[in-house]
């Protein structure tokens, strides 16, 4: 054992834990790393300056203390944490006044006739990350013009999520049609016809990623550069926006509260409005 029950195990100051709805993330501000962890581990590290290892084990894993040891040995071995008997010597970073200027930094947008205008308005809100949702094969033809709009926007990373259940041949045609478009990844459902085939035969491009269609998108696209906001707000809803293919604006997919329509409303004005802020600024779950 690399520590005793009387020792404290602390994250290095540049490794900052943030708790989300159902999981946590440690942001390494020095090396630019992200480590996804169980949400309970965030609570452990939040207590680690006040409670030594023996006290943490009794509080969080009284029935099987070896679980805590396995986690801590991993964090120490991978240079996320260290052992000390004097935690007061290593103060945590203060992010109480840290904010970013973006009105929106994550967007999920269904590909449709209003998508290019949506991208323009997202850029006016200094949006940085976007998921493009392709759920109709007819809208593939819109992608080149949308891509041109993205190239002159503030968006620095976007993924193309293919929700159309197409066969492998149509998938190849789609890849050919979007050749030259600089999306980061193309996400394909494992349960789709093409996805099942690709699972067996292998992926033809390193830009294709097979995903579980049931999992909500947008939760893991918070750059480590903007982690500080996630310390205070619900990371699923905060500064997020969803625009469907008809142009209707929502906070996130599955939310039935329409905030406006991109065809007639100003997105920047909506994101400064009381209705959006009441939803977006929900406190981070305890």
């Amino acid at each position: 054992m690399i520590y005793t029950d009387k020792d404290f195990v602390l994250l290095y100051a540049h490794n900052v834990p943030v708790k989300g709805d159902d999981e946590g993330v440690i942001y390494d501000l020095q090396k630019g790393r992200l480590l996804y962890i169980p949400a309970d581990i965030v609570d452990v590290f939040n207590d680690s300056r006040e409670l030594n290892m023996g006290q943490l084990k009794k509080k969080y894993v009284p029935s099987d203390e070896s679980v805590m040891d396995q986690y801590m040995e991993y964090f120490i071995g991978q240079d996320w944490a260290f052992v000390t008997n004097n935690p007061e010597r290593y103060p945590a970073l203060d992010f109480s006044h840290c904010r970013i200027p973006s009105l929106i930094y994550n967007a999920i947008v269904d590909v449709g006739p209003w998508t290019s205008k949506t991208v323009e308005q997202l850029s006016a809100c200094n949006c940085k990350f976007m998921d493009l949702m392709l759920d109709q094969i007819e809208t593939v033809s819109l992608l080149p013009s949308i891509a041109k709009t993205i190239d002159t926007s503030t968006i620095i990373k976007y993924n193309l999520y293919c929700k159309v259940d197409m066969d492998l041949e149509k998938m190849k045609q789609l890849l050919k049609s979007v050749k030259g478009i600089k999306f980061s990844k193309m996400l394909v459902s494992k349960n789709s016809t093409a996805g099942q085939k690709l699972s067996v035969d292998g992926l033809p491009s390193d830009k294709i990623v097979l995903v579980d269609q049931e999992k909500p998108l947008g939760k893991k696209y918070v750059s480590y550069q903007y982690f500080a906001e996630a310390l205070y707000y619900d990371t699923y809803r905060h500064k997020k926006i969803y625009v469907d293919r008809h142009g209707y604006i929502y906070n996130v997919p599955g939310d039935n509260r329409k905030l406006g329509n991109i065809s007639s409303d100003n997105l920047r004005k909506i994101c400064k409005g009381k209705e959006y802020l009441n939803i977006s600024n929900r406190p981070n779950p305890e």
Side-chain angles (χ1 to χ4, degrees):
M1 187 64 61
I2 52 181
Y3 55 78
T4 70
D5 281 353
K6 293 183 179 180
D7 286 326
F8 294 79
V9 176
L10 306 181
L11 289 173
Y12 288 103
H14 57 81
N15 295 332
V16 184
V18 173
K19 189 175 182 180
D21 272 343
D22 54 10
E23 67 180 343
V25 180
I26 299 177
Y27 296 82
D28 183 341
L29 305 183
Q30 187 177 83
K31 300 177 181 178
R33 298 181 296 172
L34 292 178
L35 179 66
Y36 295 98
I37 59 175
D40 290 345
I41 298 298
V42 177
D43 295 330
V44 170
F45 279 121
N46 287 338
D47 284 341
S48 64
R49 293 182 176 277
E50 303 296 331
L51 304 178
N52 61 31
M53 284 307 304
Q55 294 168 324
L56 287 174
K57 290 175 183 177
K58 288 181 181 179
K59 179 175 180 178
Y60 289 100
V61 286
S63 60
D64 188 0
E65 295 184 355
S66 65
V67 174
M68 183 76 74
D69 289 329
Q70 291 172 17
Y71 272 111
M72 292 305 175
E73 287 177 6
Y74 172 82
F75 292 128
I76 295 168
Q78 297 297 314
D79 207 28
W80 292 95
F82 64 98
V83 180
T84 180
N85 57 13
N86 188 4
E88 291 81 11
R89 292 181 58 189
Y90 305 96
L93 296 177
D94 180 12
F95 299 108
S96 59
H97 302 293
C98 188
R99 294 292 185 269
I100 62 171
S102 298
L103 290 175
I104 301 169
Y105 53 69
N106 280 192
I108 299 177
V109 181
D110 291 341
V111 176
W114 297 104
T115 303
S116 289
K117 184 174 182 180
T118 299
V119 173
E120 291 174 355
Q121 294 211 34
L122 287 172
S123 189
C125 296
N126 200 32
C127 182
K128 299 298 182 182
F129 304 94
M130 180 173 66
D131 284 321
L132 273 179
M133 314 294 281
L134 184 68
D135 60 1
Q136 290 191 328
I137 194 67
E138 308 85 58
T139 57
V140 171
S141 61
L142 300 173
L143 291 176
S145 62
I146 293 170
K148 288 180 180 179
T149 308
I150 293 173
D151 285 343
T152 58
S153 74
T154 61
I155 294 169
I156 58 176
K157 176 180 178 182
Y158 68 101
N159 292 326
L160 178 64
Y161 182 28
C162 181
K163 298 176 68 178
V164 180
D165 189 4
M166 62 181 72
D167 59 29
L168 189 56
E169 195 56 40
K170 288 183 178 178
M171 179 68 69
K172 291 178 180 178
Q173 292 175 11
L174 173 59
L175 283 174
K176 186 177 181 180
S177 71
V178 298
K179 186 177 181 180
I181 297 179
K182 299 176 182 178
F183 56 86
S184 301
K185 296 290 181 183
M186 179 172 176
L187 311 179
V188 181
S189 171
K190 293 177 182 177
N191 298 325
S192 67
T193 305
Q196 292 175 16
K197 180 71 173 175
L198 292 172
S199 297
V200 176
D201 293 349
L203 305 179
S205 168
D206 59 1
K207 282 199 170 188
I208 299 180
V209 179
L210 296 178
V211 297
D212 295 321
Q213 192 171 13
E214 294 76 16
K215 290 185 178 180
L217 296 180
K219 295 185 71 173
K220 295 184 179 179
Y221 292 98
V222 180
S223 166
Y224 76 91
Q225 299 173 34
Y226 303 135
F227 77 96
E229 297 255 359
L231 292 169
Y232 310 104
Y233 301 108
D234 181 344
T235 53
Y236 183 51
R237 291 184 175 276
H238 188 57
K239 295 197 173 181
K240 305 294 194 301
I241 211 75
Y242 166 57
V243 182
D244 70 13
R245 61 189 178 89
H246 302 293
Y248 287 109
I249 303 165
Y250 306 86
N251 177 217
V252 292
D255 194 328
N256 59 6
R257 289 169 287 192
K258 291 181 181 177
L259 301 171
N261 193 289
I262 210 76
S263 64
S264 56
D265 296 305
N266 184 286
L267 185 59
R268 186 176 177 86
K269 186 175 180 180
I270 288 174
C271 292
K272 288 185 173 183
K274 184 176 180 180
E275 184 178 8
Y276 176 79
L277 292 176
N278 284 341
I279 303 170
S280 173
N281 290 354
R282 191 174 74 176
N284 210 346
E286 295 294 337

